[in-house]
């Protein structure tokens, strides 16, 4: 863990750049806090006790390592390849998000910050933050768009049970990007007492690198599990990409394995020929939002566009800067899956494997289904099953015309 | 000398403190922008800060967020903001105009194309909230040869070594953010501002304007005792956004501006 890969791939540079992407485009008030966080994080990386604490929490509190499971009936239902699921849905709180919040909570403790804030879309990061805050005995406020509060009610109540204050955000599109704006406004106001736990590999330096490093455990485990269980590395890794933390977490340990293909799946919403999607890497442009230079959904005047996805966690106009870099270098391919395709994969996995996936992760499953149709029977696909789908039952029931 | 340079020189000679007013371009309507700027200048504003509306104004409080939303509903853009400055320049050739906004609209237009457009339109300075000096060199290199000042912000959290960097990198003047927080916030601590501005003035000869959270002529007067200029924004945009006839809003905005100028003039 925390071992940087050698050679050219050692990014970001000292200014937080992944090639032209990343950086630190924030208000001056935040600069010293970001410097402090960078320093505390660097010190932690060099401190063996930090790694011990982090690993111990992941093992005893989160329940790691998460299994690598061969989904044989799902694979048979959708195509030819063997499909393995990295079961991040089995983590405590039901998603990969907890890996990052455990790490950042340890850093908050080291900085002596007794108040925690976060933004959340689907509520998974909000729940993971509220969870670590409860464990620290820290005050916690989670910002969540009013639209997302409506479509992710179970997670809202969970956060409240955990002692967090859920603050509805009514500005702009009332989704994840607006929650992030509001969290940044809180942070500049309460900068002395508060640590902002960003939930993805997005935001200003050091967040993209730091969150990636905390999530890298997914790929590190998965690589070992592939060698143990299958006897070789997989042919393709597939993960969904909103901000992109579960994808970076899975991909990072494999970047130097040049024979392992990687596919990041963005939310195609109602289709890439409509404006109703959330796929900046496939249908966007480059620019600056939320502290980083990256791909964005913006119009010709540089104004940020409203996005759409059936999944609240992917409904975001930006993407982590390292993904922007990996797209440009061609190391990772980025594709899209529509709402309907994701929903179909959601239903197939539930019925064939007894696993109800998050709608976010269902995008990766749908991509695997498509890829598998043109695969050989020996091909091995690993899908990051980043979260479980209990939170989405109301959304899916609504589509089926059922009121819960 | 640039309009900003001339203005601060005049203020210094007259032993007078400057008033910087903020409104958003296109709020409450595109047609109201030039009349509003003209009335502000008539009422005693020494420098006109004009907001470029953006969809995600991370550092703004509710008044300026709403102002931005109203302007965007009217179809306001960066290009049209420059057009309004050019129209204003047909009436007023002396009062400096400083555009304030976020970086992405400038990137979308192209940094160099923007600098050219701003220069042609009669813009004097730029404040980009999410562009710290570490990220600002491309924009500065485009603005400098065209005589447009890139004004940097200093925050209450900026340590001494950063204040030194910010002071040497800023042009025209320095903008001290008077609170840890967003525009229009409620927790202005005048004693703290006095202390910080005094320490900035020990480092640099650049004029220092102070803004964020200054809502009344009284607090403006207190801040003006230590600063070269005071920035007022949220209080003015709230008037422009109120649900009344434009002429009434403009008159109200003008009388508040006069009151602010009166209160700080001789500080």
């Amino acid at each position: 863990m925390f071992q940087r890969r050698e050679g050219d791939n050692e990014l970001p540079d000292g200014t937080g750049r992944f090639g032209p992407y990343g950086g630190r485009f924030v208000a001056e008030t935040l600069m010293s806090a970001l410097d402090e966080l960078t320093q505390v994080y660097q010190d932690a990386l060099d401190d063996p006790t930090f790694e011990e604490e982090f690993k111990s929490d992941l093992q005893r509190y989160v329940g790691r390592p998460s299994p690598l499971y061969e989904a044989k009936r799902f694979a048979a239902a959708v195509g030819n390849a063997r499909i393995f699921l990295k079961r991040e849905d089995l983590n405590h709180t039901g998603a990969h998000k907890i890996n990052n919040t455990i790490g950042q909570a340890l850093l908050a403790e080291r900085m002596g910050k007794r108040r925690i804030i976060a933004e959340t879309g689907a509520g998974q990061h909000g729940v993971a933050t509220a969870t670590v805050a409860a464990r620290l005995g820290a005050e916690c406020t989670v910002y969540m768009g009013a639209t997302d509060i409506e479509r992710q009610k179970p997670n809202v109540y969970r956060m409240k049970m955990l002692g967090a204050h859920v603050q509805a955000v009514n500005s702009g599109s009332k989704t994840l990007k607006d929650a992030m704006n509001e969290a940044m406004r809180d942070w500049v106001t309460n900068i002395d007492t508060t640590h902002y736990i960003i939930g993805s590999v997005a935001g200003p330096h050091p967040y993209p690198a730091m969150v990636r490093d905390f999530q890298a455990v997914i790929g590190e485990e998965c690589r070992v599990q592939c060698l143990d269980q299958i006897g070789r590395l997989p042919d393709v890794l597939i993960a969904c990409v909103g901000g992109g933390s579960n994808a970076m977490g899975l991909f990072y340990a494999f970047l130097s394995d040049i024979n392992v293909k990687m596919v990041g799946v963005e939310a195609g919403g109602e289709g890439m020929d409509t404006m109703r999607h959330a796929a900046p890497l496939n249908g966007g442009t480059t620019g600056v939002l939320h502290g980083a230079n990256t791909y964005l959904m913006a119009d010709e005047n540089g104004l940020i566009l409203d996005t759409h996805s059936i999944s609240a966690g992917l409904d975001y106009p930006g993407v982590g800067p390292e993904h922007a870099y990996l797209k440009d270098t061609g190391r990772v391919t980025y594709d899209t899956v529509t709402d309907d395709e994701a929903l179909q994969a959601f239903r197939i996995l539930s019925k064939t494997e007894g696993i109800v996936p998050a709608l976010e992760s269902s995008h990766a499953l749908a991509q695997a289904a498509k890829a598998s149709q043109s695969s050989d029977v020996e091909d091995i696909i690993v899908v990051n099953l980043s979260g479980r789908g209990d939170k989405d039952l109301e959304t899916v029931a609504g589509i089926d015309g059922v009121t819960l | 000398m640039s309009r900003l340079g001339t203005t601060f020189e005049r203020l210094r000679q007259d032993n007078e403190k400057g008033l910087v007013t903020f409104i958003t371009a296109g709020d409450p309507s595109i047609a109201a922008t030039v009349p509003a700027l003209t009335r502000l200048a008539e009422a005693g504003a020494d420098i006109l800060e004009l907001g470029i509306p953006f969809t995600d104004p991370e550092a703004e409080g509710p008044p300026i967020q709403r102002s931005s939303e109203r302007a965007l509903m009217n179809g306001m853009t960066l290009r049209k903001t420059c057009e309004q400055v050019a129209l204003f320049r047909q009436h007023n050739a002396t009062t400096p105009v400083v555009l304030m906004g976020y970086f992405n609209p400038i990137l979308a237009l192209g940094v160099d194309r923007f600098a050219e457009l701003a220069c042609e339109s009669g813009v004097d300075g730029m404040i980009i909230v999410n562009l710290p000096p570490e990220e600002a060199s491309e924009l500065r290199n485009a603005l400098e040869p065209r005589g447009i000042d890139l004004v940097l912000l200093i925050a209450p959290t900026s340590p001494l070594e950063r204040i030194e960097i910010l002071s040497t990198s800023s042009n025209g003047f320095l903008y001290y953010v008077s609170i840890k927080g967003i525009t229009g916030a409620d927790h202005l601590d005048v004693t703290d501002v006095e202390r910080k501005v005094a320490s900035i003035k020990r480092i640099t000869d650049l004029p220092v304007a102070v803004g964020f959270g200054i809502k009344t002529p009284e607090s403006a007067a207190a801040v003006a005792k230590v600063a070269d200029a005071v920035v007022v924004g949220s209080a003015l945009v709230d008037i422009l956004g109120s649900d009344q006839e434009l002429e009434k809003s403009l008159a109200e905005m003008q009388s508040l501006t006069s009151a602010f100028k009166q209160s700080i003039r001789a500080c």
Side-chain angles (χ1 to χ4, degrees):
Chain A
M1 202 171 292
F2 300 140
Q3 283 167 357
R4 294 300 168 97
R5 286 167 301 111
E6 290 181 5
D8 294 337
N9 290 331
E10 213 170 302
L11 290 174
D13 67 13
T15 64
R17 296 278 172 165
F18 304 88
Y21 303 110
R24 221 181 236 182
F25 295 84
V26 295
E28 174 62 25
T29 311
L30 296 179
M31 289 299 282
S32 58
L34 293 171
D35 280 339
E36 181 196 11
L37 181 59
T38 306
Q39 191 57 51
V40 168
Y41 178 54
Q42 277 308 322
D43 293 347
L45 288 184
D46 296 336
D47 178 357
T49 59
F50 180 82
E51 187 173 341
E52 272 168 38
E53 284 172 346
F54 182 61
K55 279 183 169 171
S56 160
D57 276 355
L58 289 185
Q59 185 190 344
R60 301 193 181 106
Y61 188 70
V62 175
R64 302 204 71 92
S66 68
L68 181 70
Y69 164 74
E70 181 166 12
K72 290 182 180 163
R73 277 175 42 79
F74 177 77
V78 298
N80 309 315
R82 293 174 71 186
I83 297 176
F84 290 76
L85 307 178
K86 180 61 175 162
R87 298 289 309 274
E88 292 298 302
D89 62 314
L90 292 177
N91 291 338
H92 179 46
T93 72
H96 73 291
K97 293 290 186 187
I98 189 89
N99 302 325
N100 168 46
T101 61
I102 290 278
Q104 289 200 49
L106 290 171
L107 295 179
E109 219 172 10
R110 286 179 171 229
M111 290 184 284
K113 299 210 166 164
R114 301 294 301 157
R115 183 170 176 270
I116 301 285
I117 58 169
E119 84 294 337
T120 198
Q124 291 301 104
H125 174 58
V127 166
T129 302
T131 298
V132 296
R135 197 158 162 256
L136 283 176
E139 190 189 332
C140 179
T141 296
V142 178
Y143 290 91
M144 188 166 186
T147 303
D148 292 339
I149 286 183
E150 195 48 45
R151 58 177 161 175
Q152 306 280 209
K153 282 181 197 152
N155 271 344
V156 175
Y157 198 65
R158 268 171 94 191
M159 287 184 268
K160 289 180 180 165
M161 288 304 294
L162 294 162
H165 171 60
V166 180
Q167 180 63 51
V169 177
N170 280 296
S171 56
S173 59
K174 302 177 181 145
T175 58
L176 180 53
K177 88 173 169 78
D178 309 285
M180 197 153 174
N181 290 336
E182 212 49 43
M184 289 178 93
R185 291 180 187 125
D186 180 313
W187 203 28
V188 295
T189 307
N190 301 293
I191 192 98
D192 297 329
T193 58
T194 300
H195 176 59
Y196 176 18
I197 301 190
I198 292 181
S200 194
V201 287
H205 179 62
Y207 285 98
M210 181 175 73
V211 176
R212 173 200 68 197
D213 290 347
F214 289 143
Q215 293 292 1
V217 63
I218 301 171
E220 285 158 11
E221 281 175 11
C222 184
R223 201 172 179 284
V224 172
Q225 288 165 327
C226 285
L227 294 173
D228 279 358
Q229 292 173 222
I230 315 166
R232 69 174 179 93
L233 294 178
D235 298 293
V236 189
L237 303 174
I238 300 177
C240 64
V241 176
S245 68
N246 90 80
M248 270 325 298
L250 177 64
F251 296 165
Y252 193 57
F254 293 90
L255 282 176
S256 307
D257 299 317
I258 50 165
N259 291 324
V260 178
K261 287 195 199 111
M262 302 182 188
V263 184
V265 187
E266 294 194 301
E270 293 175 7
M272 294 304 289
D273 50 346
T274 74
M275 285 307 290
R276 304 257 305 150
H277 63 80
L281 291 169
N282 282 279
T285 172
T286 60
V288 165
L289 178 68
H290 293 151
N293 185 33
T294 185
Y295 280 84
L296 297 177
M297 302 281 294
D299 69 11
E300 71 277 11
N301 293 306
L303 302 171
I304 308 305
L305 293 167
D306 286 350
T307 52
H308 165 79
S309 169
I310 191 175
S311 110
L314 302 183
D315 200 350
Y316 180 67
V319 64
E322 193 162 11
H323 285 295
Y325 174 75
L326 292 170
K327 171 195 159 74
D328 284 9
T329 61
R331 178 64 187 94
V332 179
T333 308
Y334 294 88
D335 210 331
T336 61
V337 152
T338 64
D339 288 351
D340 288 345
E341 291 168 329
L343 201 56
Q344 196 186 358
F346 176 97
R347 296 183 199 280
I348 296 173
L349 191 77
S350 300
K351 293 231 164 76
T352 56
E353 298 288 349
I355 299 170
V356 179
L359 282 173
E360 289 78 13
S361 324
S362 300
H363 286 71
L365 291 165
Q367 181 71 29
K370 283 198 260 185
S372 181
Q373 282 158 23
S374 53
S375 298
D376 293 333
V377 286
E378 308 87 46
D379 285 352
I380 289 165
I381 298 175
V382 171
V383 175
N384 199 3
L385 195 69
S386 54
R388 68 179 186 224
D390 311 44
K391 68 186 178 63
D392 297 312
L393 291 176
E394 198 167 309
T395 300
V396 177
I399 290 164
D400 292 342
V402 176
T403 311
L404 295 183
Chain B
M1 196 185 278
S2 70
R3 285 190 201 95
L4 276 171
T6 311
T7 299
F8 278 109
E9 183 57 27
R10 172 180 61 75
L11 289 167
R12 198 184 59 80
Q13 280 176 3
D14 297 349
N15 208 10
E16 196 182 297
K17 294 303 167 71
L19 178 65
V20 184
T21 55
F22 173 94
I23 59 169
T24 305
D27 173 36
S29 65
I30 295 181
T33 299
V34 172
L37 291 173
T38 308
R39 304 276 282 264
L40 287 167
E42 284 169 10
D46 299 291
I47 296 168
L48 300 166
E49 215 184 290
L50 185 63
I52 307 158
F54 185 53
T55 37
D56 295 79
E58 294 152 17
E60 314 303 340
I64 295 181
Q65 285 177 45
R66 286 192 295 263
S67 167
S68 227
E69 280 175 17
R70 289 191 296 269
L72 292 172
M73 289 289 283
N74 295 330
M76 203 60 194
T77 62
L78 174 58
R79 224 182 255 278
K80 289 181 187 167
T81 300
C82 290
E83 279 170 28
Q84 294 304 308
V85 178
L87 285 173
F88 172 71
R89 280 278 168 257
Q90 294 175 5
H91 307 278
N92 181 318
T94 53
T95 313
V97 174
V98 175
L99 298 185
M100 180 166 190
Y102 292 78
F103 196 36
N104 203 52
I106 291 171
L107 274 177
L109 185 57
V111 168
D112 222 57
R113 278 178 70 193
F114 164 71
E116 191 56 40
L117 182 63
C119 178
E120 286 166 7
S121 311
V123 170
D124 301 286
M126 293 299 306
I127 299 173
I128 303 298
V129 180
N130 59 348
L131 198 69
E134 288 86 342
E135 308 286 0
S137 51
E138 189 189 0
L139 182 60
R140 184 183 301 102
N141 292 341
L143 293 176
E144 215 159 51
R146 295 175 169 104
I148 300 175
D149 291 323
L150 183 62
V151 177
L152 297 180
L153 300 140
I154 294 179
T157 52
S158 307
L160 207 56
E161 54 273 26
R162 273 193 76 79
I163 295 180
E164 278 165 10
I165 295 168
L166 292 160
S167 302
T168 46
S169 321
S170 191
N171 304 114
F173 63 98
L174 278 162
Y175 188 130
Y176 178 65
V177 176
S178 50
I179 48 170
K180 291 172 195 159
I182 50 180
T183 50
D186 272 327
H187 50 279
L188 183 70
D189 177 348
V190 175
T191 325
D192 187 56
V193 172
E194 281 173 10
R195 206 169 38 79
K196 278 309 269 270
V197 173
S199 73
I200 294 167
K201 292 211 142 269
R202 278 196 290 275
I203 292 172
T204 176
D205 291 331
L206 274 181
V208 178
V210 176
F212 276 46
I214 298 169
K215 290 179 162 174
T216 61
E218 293 71 36
S219 57
V223 168
K225 285 197 174 66
V226 289
D228 299 293
V230 173
V231 189
V232 180
S234 298
L236 299 175
V237 303
D238 267 349
I239 294 174
L240 287 177
S242 65
D243 204 8
Q244 59 185 356
E245 250 177 72
L246 178 63
E247 181 48 40
K248 221 177 150 204
S249 295
L250 291 177
E252 210 178 300
M253 179 193 76
Q254 198 169 6
S255 78
L256 183 62
T257 303
S258 301
F260 271 112
K261 182 63 192 180
Q262 282 310 322
S263 73
I264 65 168
R265 190 185 295 275
C267 284

